[in-house]
Amino acid sequence: MRYFIKILILYFGLVFTLNNAKAQNDDEIWYKISTEIALNFEKNPFEIRWRPDDHIFLPKKYLAKFDDKNNAARTDFMIGVNFWKFKLFNYSKFDEFGEMWTGIRFDYNFDLFNKKLLFNIQERYFWRLTKRADEHYYLIQFIRYAIFKSFQAGVLSYGKWNPDKDFDKGIWFIGPTVNFDFPHHFSLNLAMTRDIFFSSARYMAYLKVGYKIRWKRKVLTFTD
């Protein structure tokens, strides 16, 4: 029952936030939905992550960006290693238009106040594997405070730049985020951010559904 209440709070919070954003300025709202499956190994530093569908929806004025569509689907695959508070991934991604990238992702994680305050800083750099794609760089800061054991609230900062363009020609969304941990290793993250570089109001509503698998090694014993 308590998880059902959390889902209701999340749903009505999303509806209120989006309606409030539209009331302030109906210029642009971007929507991003991502699913991720993470596989960890017991007593092993390696980690595999797969995002079968990372989907973005843009306003109609961006139709030409995605070949007369205003949305694009992408698949991501990561394989990495954990050491101390760091993670290093090889990160490859492929979209529905045949564009491909590969790159690196570097994570730094730390916590304060007996793991109540959580920090995640990510850097990603992608090299293009096809002519139409371009190289780009991400800087992501994810700060959360654990209000309850399975509920955290915080701030998400999400920036993307092309190394061949000026800093202010990129995008940098910043805004509040909430995260829910559910039974059976499911999690739900919702953020509502605003682009600080855009002259008018441009928002991005971000929803991520995650599922974690922990691979445990079985030890066989034989008796006479």
Side-chain angles (χ1 to χ4, degrees):
M1 185 62 155
R2 56 182 177 177
Y3 295 105
F4 178 71
I5 293 174
K6 289 180 181 179
I7 293 174
L8 285 179
I9 293 172
L10 182 66
Y11 172 76
F12 287 113
L14 175 61
V15 171
F16 172 79
T17 305
L18 292 180
N19 286 338
N20 186 51
K22 289 179 180 180
Q24 294 179 39
N25 192 315
D26 58 359
D27 283 352
E28 287 193 29
I29 296 183
W30 297 12
Y31 299 88
K32 186 175 178 64
I33 301 173
S34 182
T35 55
E36 180 178 275
I37 300 172
L39 174 61
N40 293 281
F41 302 90
E42 186 180 33
K43 298 180 181 179
N44 194 307
F46 293 102
E47 182 176 347
I48 297 173
R49 296 190 184 190
W50 175 45
R51 294 183 179 178
D53 186 19
D54 190 284
H55 219 113
I56 188 166
F57 300 86
L58 302 180
K60 290 184 178 180
K61 72 178 188 178
Y62 292 97
L63 286 174
K65 182 177 178 65
F66 300 126
D67 294 342
D68 294 328
K69 293 176 61 181
N70 68 330
N71 65 90
R74 199 184 72 218
T75 298
D76 298 1
F77 182 78
M78 292 164 264
I79 182 167
V81 61
N82 303 311
F83 52 99
W84 193 47
K85 297 182 179 182
F86 301 94
K87 294 184 180 183
L88 182 63
F89 292 92
N90 171 251
Y91 193 151
S92 299
K93 54 186 185 177
F94 319 86
D95 72 16
E96 62 178 299
F97 307 106
E99 302 308 322
M100 296 182 290
W101 300 261
T102 192
I104 57 173
R105 168 177 162 175
F106 179 74
D107 287 33
Y108 175 52
N109 302 283
F110 65 99
D111 57 78
L112 297 172
F113 309 119
N114 196 25
K115 297 185 177 181
K116 284 283 189 179
L117 187 60
L118 310 172
F119 295 84
N120 172 243
I121 301 173
Q122 298 179 27
E123 287 189 275
R124 307 175 189 174
Y125 194 96
F126 292 95
W127 291 273
R128 63 182 184 182
L129 298 178
T130 54
K131 291 183 179 179
R132 178 177 166 181
D134 57 358
E135 295 185 8
H136 50 277
Y137 166 78
Y138 289 91
L139 177 62
I140 299 170
Q141 297 107 20
F142 192 17
I143 303 171
R144 293 171 292 162
Y145 183 80
I147 299 174
F148 303 109
K149 184 178 179 180
S150 57
F151 172 70
Q152 306 98 40
V155 176
L156 173 68
S157 170
Y158 174 96
K160 178 183 177 182
W161 295 272
N162 184 318
D164 297 326
K165 296 181 181 179
D166 294 335
F167 182 77
D168 59 356
K169 299 298 182 183
I171 60 172
W172 195 346
F173 289 95
I174 299 176
T177 179
V178 291
N179 192 83
F180 295 91
D181 295 318
F182 294 98
H184 309 297
H185 311 291
F186 283 96
S187 65
L188 198 62
N189 176 242
L190 171 68
M192 188 67 193
T193 59
R194 179 172 177 172
D195 186 357
I196 63 173
F197 288 149
F198 199 55
S199 58
S200 185
R202 176 160 68 188
Y203 299 89
M204 179 170 68
Y206 175 63
L207 176 65
K208 178 183 175 183
V209 180
Y211 179 64
K212 291 185 178 180
I213 303 172
R214 187 161 183 84
W215 189 286
K216 293 186 177 181
R217 224 188 301 182
K218 290 185 177 180
V219 179
L220 299 179
T221 59
F222 299 90
T223 58
D224 294 331

